[in-house]
Amino acid sequence: RRCVYIICIGLIIALADRVQAVDFVAAGDQLWSNPANWSGGSLPTTSDWAKISNASPLHQTVLINSGVNAVSSKTHLGYNGGGTLIIDGGTLTMDGDDLLLGKNGGSGTLNLISGAIDVGKDLEVGGGNPGVINMSNGTINIARDFDIPESAGSAAEVHLDGGMITVNGALTMGSTGSLDIDGGTLVVDGDVTNTINGYIASGWITA
C-alpha cells in the first residue's frame, strides 16, 4: 500500500507541473474565443493558466460573449499589467483552480453582465494589487473560499447588483475590502451568521 501511495503522489506532482501559462496578447480583437489573441495561437484548455494581461500592452480587455464556453485551469486578471474580463452571456470554468484579480503587479477587474462562472478553488480579489468585481446578473459558484482581499492591505471591491454568488467554503474579508450588495444574492455555506454580522458591523459589507 505504501508503494502505491508514493506512486500516486508522484503522479499528482507530475500533473501539477504540466499546467502551462497562456498569455492574452490581443493580436486581433478582444475576444477570448479568438485563438489569435492567445500566445501560441490556441485557446486556453483545462490544463492552462490563462493570464490577462502580461507586460504589453499595459492594460487588456477580454470579452466572453453569449455562446462561448471558456475554460482554463486557472485564470489571472492583472499580471504585470492591468486586465479586465467582461462576460456577457458566456461561461468561464476554472477546472480545479483559482480565479485571481489583482496580483503579481497588475490590477484586475471582472465585469459579469450575464452568464456563469465556476471557480474550482478560490476566488481571490486583491492579492497585492487592486481587484474589482462588478456583477449585474448571472452566477458565480466558488468551490472553496471567497477572499476580499486575498492579501492584507490590498484594495478589493465587490459590487453585487444582481445575480447570485455561492461560496462553498469561507468568506474572508479585511479592512481594505468591501462588498456592496444592492439587488443580488450572496449564499455562504455553513452557519456564518456571526461572521457576516461582524463584517457588517465593521462596515465591510453594505447594502
Side-chain angles (χ1 to χ4, degrees), residues 5-202:
Y5 176 77
I6 292 171
I7 291 170
C8 289
I9 292 297
L11 287 173
I12 291 171
I13 293 172
L15 289 172
D17 288 341
R18 289 173 60 186
V19 175
Q20 301 293 319
V22 181
D23 299 321
F24 191 84
V25 295
D29 46 39
Q30 295 177 318
L31 298 178
W32 179 297
S33 56
N34 183 353
N37 289 334
W38 295 94
S39 59
S42 60
L43 298 179
T45 71
T46 55
S47 298
D48 293 323
W49 173 10
K51 295 180 181 179
I52 308 164
S53 62
N54 189 19
S56 180
L58 292 181
H59 193 107
Q60 292 172 329
T61 298
V62 181
L63 306 174
I64 298 177
N65 292 328
S66 179
V68 175
N69 299 312
V71 298
S72 70
S73 173
K74 173 167 60 178
T75 298
H76 192 151
L77 308 182
Y79 191 94
N80 292 335
T84 297
L85 175 62
I86 301 172
I87 301 179
D88 189 4
T91 67
L92 172 62
T93 301
M94 270 63 60
D95 186 29
D97 217 321
D98 303 328
L99 174 57
L100 314 172
L101 283 73
K103 199 168 186 175
N104 290 89
S107 61
T109 300
L110 169 64
N111 296 328
L112 179 55
I113 300 170
S114 64
I117 298 174
D118 283 301
V119 184
K121 286 186 179 178
D122 302 332
L123 175 46
E124 302 176 359
V125 185
N129 300 96
V132 178
I133 295 177
N134 300 306
M135 183 171 174
S136 54
N137 211 330
T139 61
I140 299 177
N141 185 69
I142 306 165
R144 295 200 319 194
D145 300 341
F146 190 13
D147 303 322
I148 317 169
E150 187 270 335
S151 296
S154 298
E157 301 177 16
V158 178
H159 304 280
L160 179 54
D161 298 326
M164 178 181 291
I165 299 176
T166 301
V167 184
N168 294 288
L171 172 66
T172 64
M173 298 191 70
S175 60
T176 56
S178 64
L179 170 58
D180 181 43
I181 303 174
D182 184 18
T185 302
L186 174 69
V187 178
V188 183
D189 186 49
D191 184 1
V192 293
T193 302
N194 291 337
T195 299
I196 297 297
N197 285 338
Y199 293 159
I200 292 172
S202 298

